Amino acid sequence: MSVRTVPLGEALVEVSAGVGPTWARYPVLGATRAGLALAKEPVGKVPGRYKLVEPGTIFYNPMRIMIGSIAMVDEDGEPGITSPDYVVFRTRPGVLHHRWFYHWLRSNYGEDLIRSLARGAVRERLLFRRLARGYITLPPWDAQVRVANQLSVMQHAAGKAREALEAAMALPAVYLREVFESSNAQKWPVRCLGEIGEIRSGITLGRKLKGSVVLKRPYLRVANVKDGYLDLSDVFTTAVTEEEIGKMFLQKGDLLLTEGGDRDKLGRGTVWNDEIAGCLHQNHIFRVRFPAASVVPEFAAFQTGSSYGKRYFLAHAKQTTGIATINQKVLAAFPLLLPPRDVQVDVTRGIASKLVSCVRIVKLMDENEKSIESLRSSTLRQTFGEQVTRDATRHID
């Protein structure tokens, strides 16, 4: 392959002008480590200074490019505007293909170039004038176009695979909503959770032990209790007394619910099925124990994990910035929909059957996405091999 080395100043054209009074027509876009995204912050005080990013434009935050915050509006994308503090540029047709360069810039070779060019006394940054001093070794234009087209097809396929995976992962919530917010569910009797179940908090770590001590018993942390399942890959142990073991040990059928912290942990839980003998639980996890004849634990777990349950917990939680927690009083007042036990059994079996199918679908979609990403990574490795990039990090000081 015939290659040539060119200064980036000859291959790139900076976009420095603001968009002007038409700024309101466009969404505000940002650059993240994952690529293009809607900006989290609204436009600033002088929106006309925001830069237009049209299809074929690459841009990045000069203060965050060291961690890979680079974005591109591709040819099929919608134009937008981005911060006036961002570096925005286009590539010169016939010299450097924008999609080829975008993927190159996010590769190991691009990282090397960025690292060699960035400057800053307190925090390193890379402005356009520094980027323009770099050199890049390029394949012929037709080779760039061929690879860019291949990457476009793979990127599109990866996007579709990701959408399919996200849709599959959303199915459990849909199944639960269909049950607990149905017209039938609205006719079911309601009982406060604390009226029919014994609610108990767990062990407080760092307390002073009184009485005979039993060394090292396993206990569950919030990290072990997920939304609908347990992660027991890393279970800690603690010293407890015989009295504590008698009060706080877990038994098959206990409903476990976390008190919160981060919003995604609020009321998160599942059912304990004696996965670990003699296991206890931390005080940030509530244990609800039901009389065997009245409540199917899995039915209650599905309900607290549904949108019906999550709305209750969010509405009654103590909330600060980014943090939400529930106490035992709030949990005891949870309005549990409680149809006859045979209905609970039927509903639980139906949901469980759908979730098994959902797990299969999610696994298939996940494997599909990984296969596409593996092919894309392989293409990038082959494309940006040493033959093309051996001189890529040369620059003028």
Side-chain angles (χ1 to χ4, degrees):
M1 178 187 295
S2 175
V3 298
R4 62 190 181 114
T5 301
V6 299
L8 283 171
E10 295 180 6
L12 306 178
V13 178
E14 183 180 16
V15 176
S16 56
V19 68
T22 62
W23 65 269
R25 300 178 186 174
Y26 304 100
V28 183
L29 303 177
T32 71
R33 281 179 287 183
L36 185 67
L38 290 173
K40 295 180 180 180
E41 302 295 332
V43 292
K45 294 181 179 179
V46 190
R49 291 184 56 218
Y50 275 63
K51 299 174 184 177
L52 182 64
V53 283
E54 299 176 291
T57 305
I58 300 171
F59 61 101
Y60 61 81
N61 182 338
M63 304 295 288
R64 292 180 60 83
I65 191 173
M66 298 299 292
I67 62 171
S69 295
I70 309 169
M72 173 185 66
V73 179
D74 213 340
E75 291 171 347
D76 59 350
E78 295 294 328
I81 55 174
T82 196
S83 169
D85 296 326
Y86 276 28
V87 173
V88 181
F89 58 87
R90 301 175 66 85
T91 59
R92 293 187 185 277
V95 178
L96 180 58
H97 194 285
H98 67 277
R99 192 181 306 118
W100 189 97
F101 183 61
Y102 169 74
H103 288 285
W104 182 91
L105 197 58
R106 294 179 68 90
S107 73
N108 292 336
Y109 302 104
E111 290 178 10
D112 290 342
L113 177 69
I114 291 166
R115 196 174 297 110
S116 71
L117 292 171
R119 294 290 185 274
V122 178
R123 186 175 180 182
E124 289 187 313
R125 61 179 181 171
L126 180 59
L127 299 178
F128 182 80
R129 64 176 178 270
R130 288 292 306 175
L131 178 65
R133 293 185 176 188
Y135 278 76
I136 186 168
T137 303
L138 297 174
W141 174 254
D142 59 348
Q144 293 183 48
V145 172
R146 183 174 63 254
V147 172
N149 290 339
Q150 291 174 351
L151 291 171
S152 178
V153 171
M154 293 178 192
Q155 195 79 6
H156 181 74
K160 292 296 182 182
R162 195 171 302 112
E163 290 176 5
L165 177 59
E166 291 172 355
M169 293 176 68
L171 284 175
V174 173
Y175 296 151
L176 296 178
R177 184 171 61 249
E178 287 177 345
V179 171
F180 295 108
E181 299 191 38
S182 66
S183 56
N184 286 335
Q186 294 174 14
K187 302 173 185 176
W188 292 341
V190 178
R191 295 280 302 278
C192 289
L193 188 64
E195 294 177 1
I196 54 175
E198 177 197 26
I199 303 174
R200 186 179 291 276
S201 184
I203 294 173
T204 301
L205 301 181
R207 72 211 178 283
K208 292 184 178 180
L209 298 176
K210 297 179 181 180
S212 56
V213 176
V214 177
L215 295 176
K216 302 299 181 183
R217 278 295 179 94
Y219 72 95
L220 297 182
R221 300 167 292 133
V222 171
N224 301 124
V225 181
K226 305 298 184 181
D227 198 0
Y229 68 98
L230 294 168
D231 179 0
L232 303 178
S233 59
D234 189 17
V235 176
F236 292 1
T237 59
T238 187
V240 292
T241 66
E242 292 178 344
E243 291 79 9
E244 288 174 322
I245 292 174
K247 293 178 181 178
M248 300 180 185
F249 77 97
L250 295 173
Q251 69 181 37
K252 184 178 176 62
D254 284 346
L255 172 61
L256 303 174
L257 295 168
T258 61
E259 68 172 12
D262 296 335
R263 291 176 182 273
D264 68 316
K265 298 180 180 67
L266 184 64
R268 189 173 73 184
T270 189
V271 175
W272 179 253
N273 283 303
D274 271 348
E275 285 84 352
I276 301 174
C279 193
L280 309 175
H281 59 107
Q282 193 181 5
N283 61 319
H284 297 301
I285 299 171
F286 295 109
R287 179 210 76 193
V288 185
R289 186 168 293 166
F290 299 106
S294 60
V295 181
V296 176
E298 291 78 8
F299 178 84
F302 285 144
Q303 188 173 154
T304 55
S306 70
S307 54
Y308 168 83
K310 292 181 185 298
R311 274 201 309 275
Y312 171 82
F313 291 131
L314 280 171
H316 295 83
K318 179 181 179 181
Q319 302 194 39
T320 57
T321 304
I323 301 296
T325 58
I326 55 173
N327 56 31
Q328 191 164 326
K329 182 179 179 180
V330 169
L331 183 58
F334 180 84
L336 188 70
L337 302 172
L338 200 63
R341 184 177 174 82
D342 60 338
V343 175
Q344 296 179 44
V345 171
D346 288 344
V347 167
T348 299
R349 286 175 178 170
I351 294 174
S353 176
K354 288 184 177 180
L355 292 184
V356 168
S357 299
C358 184
V359 168
R360 295 196 190 103
I361 295 171
V362 169
K363 184 178 179 180
L364 180 62
M365 295 299 100
D366 185 46
E367 290 174 350
N368 186 33
E369 183 184 28
K370 288 178 179 177
S371 296
I372 294 172
E373 183 56 33
S374 177
L375 179 59
R376 176 177 168 274
S377 298
S378 176
T379 300
L380 289 173
R381 284 194 300 271
Q382 294 173 20
T383 300
F384 305 131
E386 286 297 328
Q387 182 180 6
V388 176
T389 56
R390 59 180 180 270
D391 299 321
T393 58
R394 270 204 307 123
H395 63 277
I396 302 172
D397 287 319

